[in-house]
Amino acid sequence: MLSPSLAQEIAGDTSAVIGFNVLITDAEGMVIGSGDSSRVGTFHEASVEVVRSQEPATHDASQAQRLRGVRPGVTLPLIAGGQAVGTVGITGTPTQVRRFGLLVKRQTEILLRESVMLRSRLLAERAGEKLLADIAAYDPEVVEGDFLVFRAAELGFDLRLRRVAVVFEVTVPATAAHGQGTHRQGGHRQASPTLALVRSELLRTVGEVFADPQDIVAATAPGWIGVLHRLPAGRSAESLAADCRRVTDVIAVQDGLAARAGIGEAAASVGGLHDSYQDACEALRLGTRVAGGAAVHLITDLRVHQVLTAVGQSARNRLVDRTTADLRAQPDWPALRDTITAWCESGFNLVRAAEALHVHRNTVVYRMNKIEQITGRPLRAHRTTMALYLACLADQLGGGDATVRRRRRVR
């Protein structure tokens, strides 16, 4: 419990402050920290009785001479969890050093408790990281799901509860990366933090929002934080997305970093959580390609994109080239593509499509007429429209041959 490195740090710092040598022993009376480094590793006989009785002891010169490794001064027990885990001694004339005894004892016990708490927190973080990593890589042919359920239960988590996976990706903005590692905050130019330095702060930020005792929050890689969030009854996707946006906003303001979130779908089994986590990662990847400006991406909004990416690149290229070649040759192709997408995603409703595009309905009518003239196909024929819709999504994901792209540049 009382590590030699911590004991030496406390003894050295305290000795420098009070001007008297401070030594710390373990429960067996071995010196593990001292302002006088020559005493480290020696036996301090007086500490054995102090640990046994949990009562302080004072030794003058004659008393100290009769005890092995003891010099004049005071020796006090270090108590943690109701047990003596060692002692702290101050060397000097008892009348001089007695006044420091209780203060040094209390300060040492405080530092010891903080060290234990930090160690416990780090161990819990590592256990959470390992659990989340095992769920992310779960393969039922390699490990049984019940084993992970058991391991999670040992950490206080019930994987049978309904949860959803959320993944946060944190990056250093390009402006900061190219600005000699600085960013502005409060009108002053400050050094941009590295992801390694702010790891604990990022975990704390995420943990403050996802604070349910059953929420599993862990760093999964540099710049990546995963959450297995317990879904309370009635929790909506909009509410979850709003919490994720709150996290990304706080990270941007406090740390000067860019953050995005991907959200999977609800699950209540190890296999389902594995899929939810993978879907959250997919939502991040796909959301960046089709809606790069947004901070939060839900896999439920990207299922069709996910299916398209599962198709080979050559097949996607053929779909895009054969279905939209003439449209993609137009200088306003991005606007035409967005119109097709909005028309389909608005349920083939003109008013809702105009609202989604933030344009007048007459603009939508004009663009739809143009699309129909170029393709020679009516946009109210659903089979035709769906083929165009899938081709537009494939184009957003990246597709099409170089010939059409060259034609667009020439025009």
Side-chain angles (χ1 to χ4, degrees):
M1 182 178 290
L2 185 57
S3 68
S5 59
L6 175 63
Q8 182 57 44
E9 182 179 354
I10 294 173
D13 290 349
T14 309
S15 297
V17 170
I18 68 174
F20 294 93
N21 183 57
V22 173
L23 64 79
I24 297 175
T25 76
D26 61 18
E28 282 72 44
M30 297 301 297
V31 178
I32 56 176
S34 175
D36 178 1
S37 58
S38 66
R39 300 188 68 183
V40 175
T42 63
F43 179 64
H44 190 263
E45 187 176 355
S47 293
V48 176
E49 177 60 23
V50 171
V51 168
R52 187 196 66 78
S53 66
Q54 296 192 15
E55 293 292 337
T58 301
H59 303 91
D60 58 24
S62 61
Q63 292 170 322
Q65 201 170 29
R66 294 193 293 269
L67 295 171
R68 181 181 167 192
V70 178
R71 296 178 184 176
V74 296
T75 305
L76 303 100
L78 293 175
I79 307 299
Q83 293 185 335
V85 296
T87 68
V88 58
I90 308 175
T91 303
T93 305
T95 55
Q96 290 181 306
V97 299
R98 187 180 289 113
R99 57 197 172 103
F100 295 110
L102 188 58
L103 177 63
V104 172
K105 167 184 162 67
R106 287 179 176 172
Q107 182 64 25
T108 303
E109 288 175 342
I110 290 172
L111 293 173
L112 176 59
R113 283 197 299 271
E114 290 178 348
S115 174
V116 170
M117 291 175 61
L118 177 61
R119 175 176 166 80
S120 298
R121 193 190 76 192
L122 291 175
L123 288 175
E125 282 184 7
R126 288 171 187 157
E129 289 172 7
K130 182 67 166 61
L131 177 63
L132 192 54
D134 287 345
I135 291 173
Y138 172 67
D139 183 344
E141 295 185 1
V142 176
V143 61
E144 292 187 5
D146 288 344
F147 173 70
L148 293 181
V149 171
F150 175 76
R151 261 188 44 210
E154 287 186 316
L155 298 174
F157 302 117
D158 185 354
L159 294 186
R160 296 167 298 181
L161 297 176
R162 190 165 175 265
R163 300 172 180 272
V164 63
V166 179
V167 175
F168 290 94
E169 181 189 23
V170 183
T171 57
V172 179
T175 52
H178 294 121
Q180 298 180 346
T182 60
H183 69 284
R184 290 194 177 276
Q185 185 172 354
H188 301 286
R189 201 159 184 80
Q190 300 178 350
S192 294
T194 65
L195 296 178
L197 289 176
V198 298
R199 176 181 178 276
S200 295
E201 187 174 337
L202 293 174
L203 282 171
R204 184 168 59 253
T205 298
V206 176
E208 286 173 353
V209 174
F210 294 94
D212 189 293
Q214 281 293 322
D215 285 346
I216 303 173
V217 180
T220 57
W224 287 76
I225 296 174
V227 181
L228 296 182
H229 170 56
R230 185 185 75 84
L231 279 173
R235 171 79 142 149
S236 66
E238 291 77 12
S239 172
L240 177 57
D243 278 350
C244 291
R245 277 189 288 272
R246 185 149 57 97
V247 171
T248 59
D249 290 345
V250 170
I251 290 173
V253 172
Q254 288 187 351
D255 305 306
L257 299 170
R260 299 181 305 117
I263 303 175
E265 291 200 75
S269 67
V270 173
L273 289 173
H274 165 79
D275 292 342
S276 183
Y277 184 86
Q278 297 301 325
D279 281 344
C281 294
E282 278 281 279
L284 265 180
R285 182 178 68 86
L286 296 172
T288 303
R289 296 167 70 175
V290 301
V296 179
H297 308 281
L298 289 81
I299 193 63
T300 51
D301 297 333
L302 298 163
R303 284 297 186 193
V304 178
H305 301 78
Q306 187 180 36
V307 171
L308 281 172
T309 58
V311 178
Q313 181 69 51
S314 61
R316 292 210 308 273
N317 288 348
R318 289 196 299 274
L319 172 67
V320 173
D321 294 336
R322 304 290 171 82
T323 309
T324 64
D326 291 336
L327 289 173
R328 291 170 69 237
Q330 302 300 311
D332 59 346
W333 160 239
L336 299 178
R337 182 186 62 192
D338 292 346
T339 301
I340 295 170
T341 302
W343 171 247
C344 294
E345 293 180 351
S346 299
F348 311 109
N349 182 284
L350 187 61
V351 174
R352 288 201 294 268
E355 290 175 350
L357 292 167
H358 305 292
V359 298
H360 193 275
R361 63 192 302 272
N362 290 342
T363 302
V364 178
V365 172
Y366 167 79
R367 291 179 184 173
M368 290 177 64
N369 288 336
K370 181 175 181 178
I371 292 167
E372 289 179 339
Q373 290 174 1
I374 293 172
T375 62
R377 298 175 182 178
L379 282 179
R380 297 187 184 277
H382 291 176
R383 177 175 292 185
T384 296
T385 307
M386 290 309 298
L388 280 171
Y389 174 65
L390 292 176
C392 288
L393 297 187
D395 184 71
Q396 286 182 311
L397 293 169
D401 61 21
T403 302
V404 175
R405 285 192 290 272
R406 283 197 298 270
R407 287 172 59 192
R408 287 180 61 193
R409 284 197 295 271
V410 170
R411 292 171 67 95

